[in-house]
Amino acid sequence: DIHMTQSPSSVSASVGDRVTITCRASQNTAGWLAWYQQRPGKALKLLIYAGSSLQDGVPSRFSGSGSGTDFTLTISSLQPEDFATYYCQQANKFGNTFGGGTKVEMK
Amino acid sequence: QVQLVQSGAEVKKPGASVKVSCKVSGDTLSELSMHWVRQAPGKGLEWMAGFDPENGEIVYAQKFHGRVTMTEDTSTDTSFMELSSLRSEDTAVYYCATVMASLAWGGFYFDDWGQGTLVTVSS
């Protein structure tokens, strides 16, 4: 299985800050990479798929970039509803795996 | 808008089995590719099993192969996940989730999720 490593495991930020989360895969994902948001009491939400494609209805302050083994999720201007935990996923159908998560906390 | 509503929390003893359900509304199960993902307390997400629309088969994560069984009742649009030989490490929230159909030929992006079902394994 491809192992996914996210960093940092947590980040403290304020409303309006730019936040960047990275995800590194142990092998080439061929671009099959997604990002999810998990808020307490809410269903998990797909934000980004195929490395950089924004899911319908997701605000444009979220963006994804990267290729191969290294990917980044950026929140351009953090909003109150963005305090949550974020997970990357390598979505290859032959063994999809998730990163350990990054918790975005209020500074 | 697809909605996935899961069955309620369960408490089981080690060695027992648990069966969690996920009812679909807003679409029909036969049009969807349903999967199951779990999350142990304070831990990350772990894919367990799901329907591969490319070959029409249910595929399982190697870690769970032999202990997990996924079934579907298309007459009630309900998916089921049964996990057997439960141990304490299986204590987790179990989620059903549907795969984005347009890219299911190559990968599993989960675009709709159930609310989760807590399964506690304790003697």
Side-chain angles (χ1 to χ4, degrees):
Chain A
D1 286 352
I2 298 178
H3 184 71
M4 308 299 289
T5 303
Q6 281 183 238
S7 61
S9 56
S10 66
V11 57
S12 296
S14 302
V15 172
D17 284 354
R18 182 182 183 88
V19 173
T20 299
I21 299 168
T22 63
C23 181
R24 173 163 286 178
S26 61
Q27 301 173 43
N28 186 0
T29 66
W32 291 97
L33 195 285
W35 291 95
Y36 298 86
Q37 178 191 64
Q38 185 175 40
R39 295 166 61 191
K42 300 282 190 179
L44 277 134
K45 183 178 182 180
L46 175 64
L47 301 174
I48 302 284
Y49 63 95
S52 60
S53 296
L54 196 66
Q55 171 69 337
D56 290 347
V58 174
S60 59
R61 62 181 180 274
F62 291 94
S63 64
S65 64
S67 64
T69 60
D70 294 300
F71 296 86
T72 299
L73 173 71
T74 299
I75 310 171
S76 60
S77 178
L78 196 67
Q79 298 302 299
E81 60 270 29
D82 300 337
F83 291 100
T85 301
Y86 295 84
Y87 293 94
C88 64
Q89 175 215 13
Q90 70 84 14
N92 185 296
K93 67 192 301 183
F94 298 109
N96 71 96
T97 50
F98 293 84
T102 296
K103 188 172 185 179
V104 178
E105 301 173 302
M106 198 174 296
K107 186 182 288 184
Chain B
Q1 176 80 12
V2 171
Q3 285 195 309
L4 307 177
V5 178
Q6 299 183 223
S7 50
E10 303 260 15
V11 179
K12 296 290 182 181
K13 293 194 182 302
S17 297
V18 68
K19 192 170 186 177
V20 180
S21 68
C22 174
K23 182 164 176 60
V24 176
S25 61
D27 206 332
T28 57
L29 183 58
S30 58
E31 295 293 320
L32 300 170
S33 169
M34 187 68 76
H35 288 242
W36 291 86
V37 176
R38 78 177 187 179
Q39 185 173 35
K43 302 291 187 181
L45 299 158
E46 189 172 32
W47 176 75
M48 300 178 69
F51 181 79
D52 185 348
E54 290 299 296
N55 60 22
E57 295 180 356
I58 294 173
V59 291
Y60 297 93
Q62 193 167 7
K63 173 178 178 176
F64 299 101
H65 206 85
R67 277 210 307 143
V68 65
T69 303
M70 180 179 158
T71 56
E72 298 187 333
D73 182 348
T74 54
S75 68
T76 60
D77 291 318
T78 304
S79 176
F80 299 92
M81 186 284 301
E82 184 170 20
L83 186 62
S84 62
S85 302
L86 289 169
R87 32 212 191 223
S88 59
E89 310 90 88
D90 294 318
T91 293
V93 176
Y94 290 78
Y95 296 98
C96 58
T98 57
V99 161
M100 183 183 288
S102 59
L103 294 175
W105 58 267
F108 297 147
Y109 295 121
F110 303 116
D111 56 357
D112 285 295
W113 293 73
Q115 84 276 18
T117 296
L118 175 62
V119 175
T120 303
V121 182
S122 174
S123 54

